[in-house]
Amino acid sequence: MQALDANGIDSSPHHEHHFESSEVVRDIVIGLADGLTVPFALAAGLAGAVNSGHLVIIAGLAEVAAGSIAMGLGGYLAARGDAEHFASERRREEREVVEQARDEEEEIYEIFDAYSVDRTAAEPVLRALQANPKAYVDFMMRFELGLETPVEGRAWRSALTIAAAYIAGGFIPLLPYMLLANTFTALRASVAITLVALAVFGGVKGRLLGSHWLRSAVQTVLIGGAAAAAAFGLARLLNNHA
């Protein structure tokens, strides 16, 4: 309900709604994108080389297991690397604000100058920051180096999110091979449901990340479809010349 002041202007608190889970979404996107595409291409390639649904399933499940571990480990190492880099830069910045105070002052002025704030206007802010060393370092980390404080436990959450998304995506193209006895019928069903899944995934990804959902959906389908088509064609070619 709106609260109007004496002039009839809405005085209720202004709440901005921003998407604040970009790192989680990025991990889900990474896991799902590879989970849908790599097992899909592998299964299509195998189906083009051998007429054995059982072999496709075994190889596909093995790939999903190995891929989820590898992708999860990659996410963990990346997040750990970001955290270690942040900690190292913060220690360096904490030394510099003490040992190179004049240089740091000039950097503050340069930061404000980029926003068209002159030295006179920036002076009180600089003195206030110098009176609060932690805030001073926080300010320099964000506006000089462009680094945000890592979320605690981010590495493990990233690893588990990517791995889980990879597994979820990987089961989609393999499901028809588990349910249908004929390998080529399963291949056609796998292509159909995976392309639909890629389109939905691409559209949702586009909406969440602020790009056009249709363009994102088409790009995702084309990339996934091209990977599977290449794997299938290469497998058939090698099998025919074996």
Side-chain angles (χ1 to χ4, degrees):
M1 182 176 180
Q2 289 185 338
L4 303 180
D5 60 17
N7 297 317
I9 299 175
D10 183 11
S11 61
S12 58
H14 173 62
H15 299 287
E16 292 189 3
H17 299 283
H18 297 288
F19 190 71
E20 298 179 349
S21 300
S22 59
E23 290 183 337
V24 175
V25 171
R26 183 190 65 184
D27 290 341
I28 293 174
V29 167
I30 291 172
L32 271 177
D34 279 9
L36 281 168
T37 305
V38 178
F40 178 38
L42 173 66
L46 285 174
V50 298
N51 187 22
S52 173
H54 179 71
L55 179 59
V56 173
I57 294 170
I58 296 300
L61 291 177
E63 197 290 321
V64 169
S68 63
I69 294 171
M71 292 291 294
L73 179 60
Y76 175 83
L77 293 175
R80 277 294 300 272
D82 289 343
E84 290 170 358
H85 174 64
F86 180 89
S88 174
E89 289 296 319
R90 186 174 184 89
R91 287 192 297 269
R92 183 181 62 81
E93 199 64 43
E94 288 170 345
R95 290 194 304 269
E96 288 183 352
V97 297
V98 175
E99 299 171 1
Q100 303 176 32
R102 295 303 299 271
D103 292 337
E104 293 297 294
E105 288 183 7
E106 288 302 315
E107 288 174 354
I108 287 283
Y109 288 132
E110 290 174 4
I111 290 170
F112 279 106
D113 184 62
Y115 294 92
S116 301
V117 178
D118 60 28
R119 287 177 173 251
T120 302
E123 178 79 17
V125 179
L126 171 59
R127 300 309 169 202
L129 288 172
Q130 289 176 327
N132 186 344
K134 181 181 181 302
Y136 194 1
V137 174
D138 288 343
F139 183 90
M140 297 302 286
M141 292 295 294
R142 181 170 185 180
F143 290 98
E144 180 195 6
L145 303 177
L147 298 176
E148 298 285 351
T149 304
V151 177
E152 187 176 355
R154 163 73 183 148
W156 280 110
R157 282 198 292 273
S158 177
L160 294 175
T161 301
I162 292 175
Y166 191 97
I167 293 170
F171 268 96
I172 292 175
L174 296 180
L175 189 60
Y177 299 98
M178 300 177 183
L179 300 178
L180 301 174
N182 185 277
T183 303
F184 287 101
T185 300
L187 172 61
R188 289 192 291 270
S190 178
V191 169
I193 67 169
T194 305
L195 291 181
V196 170
L198 286 167
V200 172
F201 163 66
V204 172
K205 180 187 69 173
R207 289 293 298 272
L208 290 175
L209 300 182
S211 60
H212 194 281
W213 68 269
L214 181 58
R215 181 172 62 251
S216 178
V218 171
Q219 289 174 343
T220 306
V221 168
L222 289 177
I223 292 171
F232 179 82
L234 181 61
R236 289 294 295 268
L237 179 64
L238 293 176
N239 188 53
N240 290 338
H241 289 81

